[in-house]
Every structure is written in C-alpha cells, then in structure tokens.
Amino acid sequence: MPQVLTSNPHPALWQGHGNLAGTLKNTRQQTATNAKRVNSLNEELSSAARKVQLQNQRLAELENRLKNLKDKQ
C-alpha cells in the first residue's frame, strides 16, 4: 500500500511561501495601481498636447493676420 503523507515532508522549503504569495499579491496590486496612474497621466498629457496644438494653430493664424495687416499699411 502506498504511503500517504499527512504533513509536509519538507516544512522548511514551504515556510516562506506564505510571505511570497503575499508579496506577489501586493506587487500585483501596486503594479495595477501604477498602471492606472500612468494611464491617467497619459490621458492628461494627451489632452494638454491637444490644447497646445490648438493654441499653436490659433497663434499661427493670428500671426498671419497681423502680417497681412502690416503688409496693407
């Protein structure tokens, strides 16, 4: 009849696994939190870039109008 192990034959090998699982869980949570923050910052940056692009376009239009007005004088 095969021997059935009722306890861990090598408890020293498994002592740190509870801590490892907890560390892994915490690391995954931190990574998810960081990913959300990076995504939020990326959205803010994209929005700011669009605003700057529109401002630059408007500035170019105003500069062109000013140049045209100076040319007429």
Side-chain angles (χ1 to χ4, degrees), residues 15-70:
Q15 279 181 339
H17 286 282
N19 291 339
L20 180 60
T23 300
L24 182 57
K25 181 179 177 182
N26 288 337
T27 301
R28 285 179 177 164
Q29 288 173 343
Q30 288 174 355
T31 300
T33 299
N34 289 342
K36 288 177 186 177
R37 181 69 180 136
V38 166
N39 187 44
S40 175
L41 290 171
N42 189 45
E43 289 173 3
E44 289 178 36
L45 183 58
S46 293
S47 177
R50 282 190 299 273
K51 288 177 184 177
V52 168
Q53 186 178 18
L54 289 172
Q55 288 175 343
N56 284 342
Q57 182 180 350
R58 181 70 177 137
L59 180 59
E61 291 169 0
L62 291 172
E63 287 174 337
N64 194 36
R65 284 179 59 193
L66 180 61
K67 181 182 178 288
N68 288 338
L69 288 171
K70 285 183 178 179

Side-chain angles (χ1 to χ4, degrees), residues 1-14:
M1 184 160 142
Q3 182 181 6
V4 176
L5 298 175
T6 56
S7 65
N8 188 346
H10 304 289
L13 294 177
W14 292 97

